[in-house]
Amino acid sequence: MKALRAGFLALALFSAPFASAQSTPQTTGREPANVGDAIIAASAYHDSGRYEEDLNAVLKQATDWVLQRAGKTRKPAIVLDIDETSLSNWPAIRANGFGYIVGGNCDALPKGPCGAAAWEQSAQAPVIPATLNLFRQAQAHRVTVFFITGRYENERAATAKNLLAAGYKNWGDLILRPNGAHSYAAVYKAPARAAIEAKGYTIIANLGDQPSDLAGGHAVRAFLLPNPFYRVP
């Protein structure tokens, strides 16, 4: 990443003398948004506090909805995604420059690289406070909370440890993806919600940071949390 940025700087310096020869930059108009600009914008969105404000706004709507529906529903339940919904991976995201690195160690934070598997096994992802508040409010009103995550079954122990350390306790179930499965999130998350319904629960709210967390129905209402940092199909 440093070398890439240095290359951008060198190119800018080299091009500067020729800028006056062309007052209007020429483009085909067909290229996508610049990745470097997107990284700058996403970092600014997070660091300015606007990300947390937007996150809290959606979670307040969800909390209000759950408290409104809890006493009017037989066997009410909610479903929470984990990554960027219940726990934050921001330390690893920033360390990797928004790239996704599966393997390798994660032992130099805040510097990278930080392997995703090692990061998740370390069980140190910080809590998203407004989600924890929703979790506790739901339980106080006798709403069962289920976690459905894209993490794999072999990460169960570390994931449960991280959730407990973050303050999540006494959940209904923690549903992970089978080891070796490569299906899209919606392909296994929607049937997982259907299985919860088959046990007699009514899922009054389903929360996630990806459209794929919510696709497929099996919830009275869905809440999409902001996440411009990555996309999971």
Side-chain angles (χ1 to χ4, degrees), residues 10 13 15 22 27 53 56 59 90 108 112 124 135 139 147 192 207:
L13 292 174
S15 303
Q22 187 171 295
T27 175
E53 290 176 2
N56 290 345
L59 286 162
W90 181 251
Q124 58 180 320
F135 177 92
Q139 288 185 325
F147 290 103
L207 286 85

Side-chain angles (χ1 to χ4, degrees), residues 144-148 156 170-176 196 199:
T144 304
V145 183
F146 294 87
F147 290 103
I148 302 179
R156 176 175 294 277
N170 302 315
W171 55 77
D173 198 3
L174 170 59
I175 303 167
L176 298 97
I196 293 171
K199 296 177 181 178

Side-chain angles (χ1 to χ4, degrees), residues 24 81 95 104 149 157:
T24 303
D81 173 51
T149 176

Side-chain angles (χ1 to χ4, degrees), residues 116-197:
W119 164 254
E120 291 174 3
Q121 290 291 346
S122 73
Q124 58 180 320
V127 69
I128 293 179
T131 306
L132 180 59
N133 175 65
L134 166 61
F135 177 92
R136 289 173 171 169
Q137 293 270 18
Q139 288 185 325
H141 288 77
R142 299 184 179 182
V143 178
T144 304
V145 183
F146 294 87
F147 290 103
I148 302 179
T149 176
R151 296 187 182 195
Y152 287 99
E153 186 63 37
N154 60 14
E155 299 176 278
R156 176 175 294 277
T159 301
K161 178 182 178 181
N162 201 156
L163 289 170
L164 287 168
Y168 298 101
K169 300 177 181 179
N170 302 315
W171 55 77
D173 198 3
L174 170 59
I175 303 167
L176 298 97
R177 184 157 42 165
N179 292 334
H182 297 290
S183 57
Y184 291 142
V187 173
Y188 67 89
K189 288 197 172 188
R193 293 193 299 273
I196 293 171
E197 290 179 328

